[in-house]
Amino acid sequence: FEMIDKNVVIIGSGYGGSVAALRLCEKNIPVTLLEMGLDWEKSGQKFSSMINPGHSAAWLKTKTIAPFFNLFSLEKYTGALDRLDFEHIKIWLGRGVGGGSLVNGGMAVTPKKEYFKEVFPNLDAEKFYSKYFPLANKELKSNVASEEFLKDCSFYKFNRVGEEEAKKAGFKTVRVPNVYDFNYMEKEYKEEVPRSAFAGEVIYGNNHGKNSLDKTYLKKASATGKLEILELHQVNHITQNPDQSYSIDISVINTKGEEIQHKIINTKKLILSAGTMGSLELLLKSKAMKQLPMDDKIGKDWGNNGNFMTGRNWVKAFSGGTGFQQSTIPVGGIDHWEDKDRPFFVEIAPLPMGLNVATSLYLMVNKLKKYGEVNYDSVTQKLQLNWDQSHTAHMKDNAKYFLRTMNKANGGTRAHLLFHNGFGADVCYHPLGGIVLGKATDNYGRLNGHKNLYVIDGSLIPGTIGVNPFVTITAIAEYCMEEIIEKDFA
Ligand code: FAD
């Protein structure tokens, strides 16, 4: 048992936590960053591919947890991908230094300005589009693949088929930026460097090519010499002290997930960046167990960002399918957002199974019609999520319409081989909200009723942003930290 005093602690090393760390360290403020997952780079271990899952494939599970085809047994290990299973929804998350950036598809999408204004009426949209979004994209090293390369590359047949078919069905397609380095990818294609996107690596981590946060924000923050990263530090709960400082109860774990040490860290200022589900769990649990003062808005306005997965089988089955080899990095989208009755955005997702499955996979992003709510059950000591089919019914209607239109124009069937009935209503990669900016916090992430407790992560976005969310999470973190550092750290 150890008791330690610090000035500034951040919990979680995803997008919010990494931005906070860099901006504080740059101002010469020493920061301790607590992360429950592994520091993969330091560990020297390799990430595993989708067709050969190893240590990085799952957080303390004995079977793989991909969205489908979980045929593989695993040794229990502190892997990079986790999945939280609720009755009607499964939520995937990244664990490790870099958070979700280790396991995500790298799609770096700036939301539509009109929708951003609708979601955040209190924010200065002009300033976001002239300052914070460009800054986020620059720091994240967002880049775009060359059309020349995509036109011929055999690994992007799935995308060419996806775009051609969408156009034929009357949909508009868009090129999507990514943080995977496309210069590296071109070399990968020519086999001049080790392959990663072309070797089935993504949701269990990329060994090369991807500019995850450990290569961008966290690398810069570490270079200041002011950042201390403590891996395998799982925060259990938080207590507020009479002098408005906080005590953090921590289990230091080994790679089997067993506690090897118990620590208390006291800190003057605490930044909660444990991701939407992590920050909600810590706040609601600490309220239930340790009487941490809490606004009753916490847990409200939660959403799945309209995530709805679906697909089509028998796609070009008699003329070559979607390709034997597939890049794991998506580059195409279908923009159907302007349709008033059925607005949606679709990611043309790869299915890198090492087989030509003649199947197209789509991750739809819809609007929300109804918010979910997150609570903490003190008896089971677990998060509870109020979310069921009534929340996703309109997303399913949109998916039906999308598939019907695509199949009518191109042939193919609903993907019964991927999902029950062809619809993955329960697949969520983008949990958002619950600690909403300007509601549960002030307009800069200062938690209501607290002086020294901040929330900086996806939970600030009220359940929906219309596109893949990490560029928005990063931009909001930049905006909040600018104000917080100027006013509260002067
Ligand atoms: P996170 O990135 O989730 O980071 C939170 C960190 O806190 C984690 O490292 C976690 O281990 C740590 N933590 C949590 N609880 C504790 C605790 N109690 N103690 C210590 N540490 C803790 N978004 C896009 O924009 N584009 C994409 O292409 C894309 N693809 C995705 C694909 C997959 C498979 C997944 C799972 C997600 C994808 N996302 C994508 C979503 C994106 O990764 C998340 O929205 C983003 O990572 C959320 O950032 P965050 O800062 O809120 O938290």
Side-chain angles (χ1 to χ4, degrees):
F1 181 81
E2 210 183 336
M3 184 94 103
I4 306 161
D5 290 318
K6 300 281 177 190
N7 281 322
V8 186
V9 171
I10 300 173
I11 302 174
S13 62
Y15 293 87
S18 299
V19 172
L22 173 60
R23 298 309 171 206
L24 286 161
C25 289
E26 270 178 354
K27 296 278 179 205
N28 259 332
I29 301 165
V31 170
T32 299
L33 180 55
L34 306 177
E35 170 56 54
M36 68 196 269
L38 258 181
D39 188 334
W40 286 88
E41 195 164 305
K42 202 173 91 187
S43 80
Q45 289 198 70
K46 291 243 168 226
F47 291 115
S48 48
S49 72
M50 287 175 74
I51 46 175
N52 194 11
H55 274 167
S56 70
W59 178 258
L60 303 174
K61 308 253 182 332
T62 51
K63 227 179 146 212
T64 52
I65 50 166
F68 22 70
F69 305 133
N70 286 307
L71 312 168
F72 303 93
S73 295
L74 295 171
E75 183 192 327
K76 206 171 156 195
Y77 200 82
T78 48
L81 184 69
D82 199 1
R83 190 182 74 194
L84 310 180
D85 294 351
F86 297 93
E87 195 182 349
H88 298 285
I89 190 167
K90 296 188 180 75
I91 301 173
W92 277 264
L93 310 161
R95 302 248 179 258
V97 173
S101 78
L102 297 175
V103 300
N104 68 31
M107 285 176 75
V109 201
T110 303
K112 291 196 179 248
K113 197 168 174 182
E114 283 313 305
Y115 196 57
F116 180 82
K117 283 187 192 166
E118 206 177 305
V119 174
F120 288 112
N122 295 334
L123 297 184
D124 180 349
E126 298 313 320
K127 199 158 177 200
F128 264 83
Y129 283 79
S130 64
K131 180 170 183 186
Y132 303 112
F133 281 122
L135 175 63
N137 279 312
K138 186 180 130 241
E139 296 284 7
L140 293 168
K141 301 197 172 168
S142 161
N143 69 152
V144 182
S146 93
E147 295 302 321
E148 198 56 31
F149 174 63
L150 294 178
K151 184 163 69 66
D152 297 320
C153 175
S154 54
F155 288 80
Y156 277 108
K157 185 172 182 209
F158 79 93
N159 188 68
R160 287 194 295 276
V161 168
E163 290 183 1
E164 271 162 32
E165 293 199 338
K167 280 186 197 137
K168 201 168 162 204
F171 292 111
K172 186 173 108 191
T173 62
V174 289
R175 181 69 51 244
V176 180
N178 203 290
V179 300
Y180 198 94
D181 180 347
F182 287 108
N183 285 327
Y184 186 90
M185 194 187 274
E186 293 200 15
K187 293 197 189 114
E188 207 173 324
Y189 191 45
K190 295 184 210 142
E191 296 191 271
E192 292 169 6
V193 292
R195 285 183 162 175
S196 184
F198 291 175
E201 292 176 359
V202 68
I203 57 171
Y204 309 146
N206 283 92
N207 290 304
H208 311 279
K210 185 155 85 173
N211 280 309
S212 43
L213 291 164
D214 49 320
K215 313 240 170 11
T216 58
Y217 276 96
L218 288 173
K219 192 172 174 192
K220 271 189 160 177
S222 292
T224 63
K226 294 285 167 189
L227 180 63
E228 173 188 39
I229 299 180
L230 300 177
E231 61 170 343
L232 300 174
H233 277 53
Q234 183 160 15
V235 175
N236 300 314
H237 51 75
I238 302 157
T239 325
Q240 190 184 35
N241 302 315
D243 65 352
Q244 306 230 41
S245 67
Y246 295 89
S247 295
I248 309 166
D249 184 280
I250 301 160
S251 294
V252 184
I253 56 174
N254 62 18
T255 53
K256 289 196 186 99
E258 301 156 343
E259 185 183 75
I260 50 169
Q261 196 191 353
H262 194 172
K263 268 189 196 174
I264 307 277
I265 295 186
N266 303 312
T267 185
K268 294 203 178 103
K269 292 202 178 284
L270 176 57
I271 298 178
L272 202 49
S273 300
T276 297
M277 304 316 291
S279 291
L280 278 166
E281 180 171 9
L282 281 176
L283 288 183
L284 293 168
K285 188 173 164 189
S286 302
K287 178 190 179 187
M289 288 176 60
K290 297 285 158 189
Q291 290 81 43
L292 187 72
M294 199 72 51
D295 194 300
D296 60 10
K297 293 190 194 77
I298 289 171
K300 305 240 164 61
D301 297 321
W302 185 91
N304 70 344
N305 198 25
N307 282 185
F308 196 98
M309 230 187 217
T310 189
R312 293 166 50 236
N313 295 135
W314 307 107
V315 173
K316 296 211 177 297
F318 303 107
S319 59
T322 45
F324 174 76
Q325 300 174 304
Q326 298 195 11
S327 169
T328 56
I329 297 300
V331 291
I334 297 166
D335 181 357
H336 196 63
W337 201 254
E338 307 310 325
D339 183 334
K340 282 211 170 49
D341 301 326
R342 302 176 182 286
F344 55 79
F345 176 82
V346 181
E347 163 186 336
I348 300 172
L351 197 58
M353 306 299 302
L355 300 167
N356 189 346
V357 284
T359 294
S360 287
L361 179 67
Y362 307 104
L363 176 61
M364 297 183 84
V365 174
N366 298 274
K367 289 193 178 180
L368 293 187
K369 286 200 172 166
K370 193 175 160 187
Y371 288 106
E373 188 176 329
V374 184
N375 293 295
Y376 184 75
D377 184 333
S378 319
V379 179
T380 60
Q381 303 193 354
K382 282 194 172 139
L383 279 187
Q384 272 187 334
L385 188 52
N386 171 358
W387 185 268
D388 58 32
Q389 283 94 346
S390 69
H391 294 86
T392 54
H394 70 286
M395 305 176 197
K396 188 171 173 181
D397 283 345
N398 285 353
K400 274 188 186 162
Y401 162 80
F402 173 63
L403 293 188
R404 219 186 312 120
T405 315
M406 290 291 276
N407 289 340
K408 209 168 144 196
N410 302 289
T413 63
R414 202 193 284 169
H416 291 272
L417 300 175
L418 290 180
F419 307 103
H420 177 64
N421 283 331
F423 295 126
D426 59 344
V427 176
C428 175
Y429 284 177
H430 306 159
L432 296 172
I435 316 176
V436 171
L437 192 70
K439 284 190 177 176
T441 73
D442 73 354
N443 270 338
Y444 300 96
R446 299 179 181 101
L447 200 68
N448 290 353
H450 289 260
K451 221 175 132 227
N452 298 312
L453 182 53
Y454 308 84
V455 175
I456 306 286
D457 61 21
S459 64
L460 295 173
I461 302 174
T464 166
I465 196 64
V467 290
N468 313 54
F470 73 58
V471 171
T472 310
I473 298 172
T474 306
I476 287 178
E478 288 283 12
Y479 148 86
C480 291
M481 288 313 298
E482 185 181 68
E483 166 83 10
I484 290 169
I485 289 173
E486 194 189 311
K487 300 276 160 65
D488 303 7
F489 285 82

